[in-house]
Amino acid sequence: MFAKNLKITIAHLYPKLLNIYGDRGNIITLVNRCKWRNIEVTVDSIDAGDNIDEDKYDIYFIGGGQDQQQIQVAGELQKQKEKLFNAAQSNSVFLAICGGYQLLGHYYQPHDADRLEGIGILDAFTVAGKKRFIGNVTAKLLSENTNGELKTLVGFENHSGLTYLQGDTKPIATILTGNGNNGSDKTEGARYKNVFGTYLHGSLLPKNPHFADFLLSLALEKRYGEKIELQKLDDKFEIAAHNSLVNKKY
Ligand code: GLN
């Protein structure tokens, strides 16, 4: 039995500044996977200078970007820090990609610029490494981060930042191919409550429909206070795209 008249609201944080490698495709995937199920979905772009209504959104998305754009967004996020922190504590879902991910931690220390203060939703920190990690990534999801048949995440990484997790912030997956958080501890991404960060561009969700639905399930549970079964979709093309990339290096 599937619930009727469902709704999900999404805040797309700073899309004009953090949107490299097609990270906007994650929003398109979330919207389509709602529409295909007749779930009403709205997306608000939150731009520089906008004030966030922390009670309005079920999902927050922030994409990746180069150091320059990160500097501007870091300043904006500091102005919204308390609201975003409250949203995370009330189990809103966050998906943050690469540069956006780095800014949800305590700080990002670029190579040749001042340290960028993060908003500390994730107990993590990032320092620029000497080498830029560029290439395909396959990672095995930790069991608590998926409810579908597929157990891997595939995507593309392009970052020099090395991210280290601490405290209650745990990885979302372990690296099978590629580098992930820092190229040394075999972790990829981060999760605290319903806040997810990942280095996977691609964009991530079109080729990882199971993870998209996992995030939608969490967002519905947060909004309606109970687990709601999502109607199954015919994902043959998405799964074929996913499997074509599993353990593909180049
Ligand atoms: N500028 C950051 C880094 O190089 C993030 C890059 C990105 O978002 N792809 O690590």
Side-chain angles (χ1 to χ4, degrees), residues 20-21 64-67 70 98-99 102 108 132 158-161 201:
I20 51 174
Y21 307 115
Q66 303 300 350
D67 290 9
Q70 278 183 284
C98 202
Q102 295 168 344
Y108 167 50
R132 176 162 283 273
N158 181 339
H159 58 103
S160 66
H201 295 285

Side-chain angles (χ1 to χ4, degrees), residues 84-128:
L84 293 172
F85 203 89
N86 292 342
Q89 292 305 319
S90 63
N91 288 324
S92 292
V93 173
F94 285 68
L95 177 63
I97 312 291
C98 202
Y101 165 27
Q102 295 168 344
L103 294 177
L104 293 196
H106 297 302
Y107 63 84
Y108 167 50
Q109 176 56 65
H111 266 303
D112 47 8
D114 295 340
R115 184 162 111 167
L116 297 182
E117 294 305 322
I119 57 175
I121 291 180
L122 293 170
D123 191 356
F125 63 92
T126 302
V127 292

Side-chain angles (χ1 to χ4, degrees), residues 61-236:
F61 174 77
I62 184 167
Q66 303 300 350
D67 290 9
Q68 275 314 307
Q69 286 76 23
Q70 278 183 284
I71 292 168
Q72 188 175 349
V73 171
E76 291 297 324
L77 286 172
Q78 287 302 317
K79 297 174 198 164
Q80 307 299 320
K81 180 175 180 176
E82 188 178 342
K83 294 178 178 181
L84 293 172
F85 203 89
N86 292 342
Q89 292 305 319
S90 63
N91 288 324
S92 292
V93 173
F94 285 68
L95 177 63
I97 312 291
C98 202
Y101 165 27
Q102 295 168 344
L103 294 177
L104 293 196
H106 297 302
Y107 63 84
Y108 167 50
Q109 176 56 65
H111 266 303
D112 47 8
D114 295 340
R115 184 162 111 167
L116 297 182
E117 294 305 322
I119 57 175
I121 291 180
L122 293 170
D123 191 356
F125 63 92
T126 302
V127 292
K130 293 185 176 56
K131 182 182 171 199
R132 176 162 283 273
F133 294 145
I134 300 176
N136 289 313
V137 176
T138 301
K140 188 173 185 313
L141 283 161
L142 273 62
S143 57
E144 61 269 28
N145 296 328
T146 184
N147 50 19
E149 293 99 57
L150 291 174
K151 303 300 179 196
T152 45
L153 278 183
V154 293
F156 182 85
E157 64 182 337
N158 181 339
H159 58 103
S160 66
L162 307 175
T163 296
Y164 300 92
L165 311 182
Q166 47 194 31
D168 292 334
T169 294
K170 304 299 179 193
I172 54 175
T174 52
I175 287 292
L176 298 175
T177 305
N179 298 282
N181 281 332
N182 50 53
S184 55
D185 67 8
K186 290 290 183 194
T187 65
E188 160 46 26
R191 179 181 183 181
Y192 171 70
K193 294 175 83 80
N194 286 342
V195 179
F196 296 84
T198 176
Y199 271 110
L200 301 191
H201 295 285
S203 41
L204 173 73
L205 296 180
K207 297 186 285 294
N208 297 284
H210 52 304
F211 197 64
D213 283 353
F214 177 63
L215 298 179
L216 290 173
S217 298
L218 290 173
L220 287 168
E221 185 175 354
K222 177 258 178 193
R223 186 180 185 96
Y224 295 103
E226 60 175 307
K227 285 191 184 303
I228 294 176
E229 189 183 349
L230 281 176
Q231 178 187 339
K232 273 189 80 62
L233 297 174
D234 176 1
D235 284 333
K236 62 174 175 295

Side-chain angles (χ1 to χ4, degrees), residues 8-10 12 24-44 59 205 212 216 233:
I8 284 183
T9 56
I10 302 174
H12 188 173
R24 184 181 301 274
N26 293 297
I27 293 284
I28 295 169
T29 300
L30 291 171
V31 167
N32 283 342
R33 296 188 76 80
C34 284
K35 285 182 175 175
W36 293 336
R37 294 175 166 117
N38 295 316
I39 297 172
E40 184 188 346
V41 56
T42 61
V43 181
D44 290 350
I59 298 177
L205 296 180
L216 290 173
L233 297 174

